Amino acid sequence: MPPGSWFDAVRQHLSGYVRDHWAEAADDDGPPPGQSSALAATGLALAGEVAGPVVELSAAAGGVTRCLAEWLDAPVLGLDLSAPLARFAVRALRGGRQAFPLRMAGTAYAERHVVTQPPSRGMAMVWLADATAPPIADGAAGLVVALNLIDCVADPAAVLRGAASLLRPGGKLVLATPCDWSPAATPPEMWIGARRGALAAPDLCAWAEAEGGLRLRGTKQQPWLVRVHGTATMQYRALVMALEKL
């Protein structure tokens, strides 16, 4: 397949997410694994007391799904629209030795392996599903977690409303985003806190409160390092928010 193909994109996603979610240590010059789970941990600290069941939107390779189940000793359901990532997550949550492609440069990938374990507490599973239309009853969740999602969809408001609808009153929503808006993913008129002028949307926290019927409990900016390939790492300051359903 040529560079820039869907196959190339799939391998890039597997390379980044599997390494970060499941590798115990870096065997290259990239950032330490566990960047995503660190964002989730910060969000939980901001949220205060939480209870399951838990829904994770954009679960990717399933490593954060496993962490949430262990940390909270609760059932956690992860949803992701990428079939290759969801398929990997399902295998990883069963446990065993898993192969994945690690991007070295360009379209050059090396096969790497990780040994995964199911959660020792709680329960974790991942379904192939769209975060804008989660196949779960309204009010079913005590906690919803969405990392690196809001700025990666065509309609951020639909994702936020869907996440809020899953929560029972008093339930918590943890969001984390680098606010890296791109017209390739989100129409510019949908960007939150990233446009100038009279039509500009408010900052992300105020928008989330108003759009989702939520109350902000806390927010923090946190470094988030994303390995691109063997000689490139993206460094973000992710905005982590914890909100409560009224």
Side-chain angles (χ1 to χ4, degrees):
M1 302 291 287
S5 66
W6 65 267
F7 181 68
D8 215 21
V10 164
R11 289 196 298 174
Q12 174 64 55
H13 288 152
L14 285 168
S15 172
Y17 281 113
V18 174
R19 179 187 179 278
D20 182 58
H21 283 204
W22 293 102
E24 293 186 359
D27 61 355
D28 51 50
D29 292 330
Q35 300 284 319
S36 298
S37 58
L39 293 178
T42 295
L44 291 179
L46 293 170
E49 184 176 351
V50 296
V54 182
V55 177
E56 184 191 5
L57 305 177
S58 189
V64 176
T65 315
R66 178 187 183 276
C67 287
L68 291 169
E70 286 210 331
W71 293 342
L72 303 175
D73 192 13
V76 182
L77 175 61
L79 307 179
D80 203 281
L81 194 55
S82 165
L85 282 171
R87 187 180 299 117
F88 186 94
V90 169
R91 292 198 307 266
L93 288 170
R94 292 183 185 137
R97 182 177 170 86
Q98 319 290 342
F100 74 100
L102 182 68
R103 188 182 180 199
M104 309 309 292
T107 57
Y109 286 76
E111 183 174 290
R112 291 288 191 270
H113 294 85
V114 289
V115 176
T116 65
Q117 300 286 342
S120 58
R121 305 195 311 158
M123 180 179 65
M125 62 178 65
V126 171
W127 290 358
L128 181 66
D130 189 340
T132 63
I136 305 164
D138 289 352
L143 172 69
V144 174
V145 176
L147 308 179
N148 191 31
L149 177 63
I150 288 294
D151 61 349
C152 296
V153 296
D155 191 345
V159 171
L160 182 71
R161 289 192 297 268
S165 71
L166 295 176
L167 292 169
R168 57 178 177 259
K172 309 291 176 56
L173 171 62
V174 169
L175 296 176
T177 174
C179 300
D180 189 18
W181 300 100
S182 165
T186 312
E189 61 269 21
M190 298 287 193
W191 294 2
I192 314 302
R195 293 181 296 143
R196 297 183 61 184
L199 298 178
D203 70 82
L204 201 60
C205 295
W207 170 82
E209 286 187 302
E211 190 71 36
L214 304 164
R215 176 176 57 203
L216 184 69
R217 291 187 58 91
T219 181
K220 180 180 179 180
Q221 284 198 325
Q222 179 167 318
W224 181 42
L225 304 178
V226 178
R227 184 188 186 278
V228 181
H229 54 73
T231 58
T233 294
M234 291 290 291
Q235 181 171 344
Y236 295 105
R237 284 199 321 274
L239 177 65
V240 184
M241 293 178 288
L243 304 111
E244 182 176 9
K245 186 167 185 178
L246 302 175

